Amino acid sequence: ETTIQFTAENVESAEVIIYNIKGQKIKTFDVILCGGEGQSSMIWNGTDDNDKPVSSGIYFYKLRVYGKETASKKMILIK
């Protein structure tokens, strides 16, 4: 599993989407934030939306804040 950390300002909800190297959506998380400023985190246990384990490899995650910009990062899953 891995922890994805991010900082959000004046945001109440966001979405984290994990994609594989082919650009296929693997997992979606709805993130509820307390609002205000601060660092938040979430844990991905290496499974897809059907709770099936995914293989080792390169994945991308996108933080989409509703009504604001998005940010994408690359990560490597090693089992």
Side-chain angles (χ1 to χ4, degrees):
E1 65 185 34
T2 187
T3 301
I4 299 171
Q5 295 182 340
F6 54 91
T7 301
E9 298 177 6
N10 299 321
V11 174
E12 293 182 9
S13 64
E15 184 176 54
V16 174
I17 307 167
I18 298 175
Y19 298 92
N20 64 15
I21 194 76
K22 296 178 183 179
Q24 298 167 320
K25 190 186 306 186
I26 301 297
K27 183 100 173 178
T28 303
F29 295 95
D30 289 321
V31 182
I32 306 298
L33 305 170
C34 298
E37 300 177 13
Q39 190 166 17
S40 297
S41 64
M42 48 151 303
I43 296 174
W44 178 44
N45 62 359
T47 61
D48 63 13
D49 276 332
N50 297 317
D51 290 326
K52 294 183 180 179
V54 298
S55 60
S56 297
I58 297 173
Y59 292 86
F60 297 90
Y61 64 92
K62 181 186 290 186
L63 172 64
R64 185 166 59 187
V65 178
Y66 302 115
K68 300 196 180 202
E69 297 180 21
T70 62
S72 299
K73 299 277 183 165
K74 180 169 64 169
M75 64 181 163
I76 298 174
L77 178 66
I78 301 172
K79 293 185 176 185

